[in-house]
Structures are given as C-alpha cells and as structure tokens.
Amino acid sequence: MKRRAKGFTLAELVIVIVVAAILAAIAIPQFNQPEIDAAWFHEQARSTVRYAQRTAVAQRRCVFVEVAPPELRLLYGDVNCAITATKVRDLARGDDVEITAPAGVALSAAPNPFRFNGLGQPSAAATVTVGSKTIVVNAETGYVQ
C-alpha cells in the first residue's frame, strides 16, 4: 500500500491565491473610501468657491458662499451686496449650485458667509475647512487656493 504525501497540490494553492487576490481587490478600496471621499469633496468645494468668484465677475453682482454643514451653497446678493435667499443657478446643469459633504467629512467656513463683489474681490480673507484640508481665499487678490 502506497502512502500519500501530506500537503496541498499546486492547483489547490493557485486557486486559493486567486480567490484571495479577488477578495483583496474588492475589500482594500473600501478601507480607503472615506479618505477618497474627503479628497474628492475638497476639490469639488474649491471649484465651487472659484465658480462663485467667476459668476460674480461675469454677472457684475455679489455672490455669497454660505456653509451650512453639511452643505456649501452659493447665493446672490442684492444691489447693496446684502445676502438674499436667491440661489445661484448653474446654467450648464440647470440646477442650484449646492454641494453636500459625504458622511464623515466635516465642513466649516470663517467668516460664514463670505462674498465676492462684481469685481471678484472677496469681502475678507476667508477659509473653508473640508475635513483636514483648507481652502484659502486671499483678501487682496481673491485668489482661491
């Protein structure tokens, strides 16, 4: 009677490695998803603040950036540059310019709200904090970084 050697065959090992690789490819991105969401939202918030400035210049009127966690929205000002309840509309998409932070991403601004006048100048230096990253609006130039 022949004794069989203990252990696994090469085919069994290859199958286990393939299954483990597939599971890892599915599971590992889920661990990084909050970081991905925070980075994506930071870029979206920065482009929204830049859009506020461009809209103010293009329409020669005040545009306010208001943060009401978890949302960042753009509102028009009246002729005296006082905030109104009229939301800025994105003409390309046809809806209000308003973004919502994903779950777990903190959002704040100082001062809140702040505005860009018809020349694109901010009312003051402003910062918008998205998670651990900050968007800075330069008081003199209006540069959004």
Side-chain angles (χ1 to χ4, degrees):
M1 190 155 151
K2 237 182 187 184
R3 282 185 62 165
R4 200 166 160 196
K6 294 181 182 180
F8 299 103
T9 65
L10 183 59
E12 290 171 332
L13 290 174
V14 168
I15 290 172
V16 168
I17 291 171
V18 168
V19 169
I22 291 171
L23 291 175
I26 293 170
I28 288 176
Q30 299 304 319
F31 293 120
N32 295 334
Q33 196 60 43
E35 294 171 17
I36 293 168
D37 289 345
W40 166 82
F41 187 73
H42 174 262
E43 291 302 320
Q44 189 179 24
R46 187 166 57 179
S47 68
T48 301
V49 173
R50 286 182 180 151
Y51 183 78
Q53 184 182 33
R54 288 194 319 264
T55 301
V57 171
Q59 297 181 8
R60 292 283 188 204
R61 65 189 294 187
C62 289
V63 174
F64 286 81
V65 177
E66 181 183 59
V67 174
E71 294 180 346
L72 184 144
R73 66 182 130 233
L74 303 184
L75 302 167
Y76 284 120
D78 62 13
V79 293
N80 298 319
C81 246
I83 193 168
T84 65
T86 308
K87 294 180 181 177
V88 174
R89 304 241 342 141
D90 184 347
L91 299 177
R93 293 187 328 219
D95 59 355
D96 297 336
V97 179
E98 183 172 83
I99 58 174
T100 303
V105 176
L107 180 64
S108 65
N112 187 24
F114 62 93
R115 75 177 190 292
F116 292 100
N117 65 16
L119 298 174
Q121 299 165 326
S123 53
T127 58
V128 178
T129 304
V130 179
S132 62
K133 296 182 178 182
T134 303
I135 300 164
V136 178
V137 180
N138 186 296
E140 295 175 9
T141 62
Y143 181 68
V144 179
Q145 55 186 5

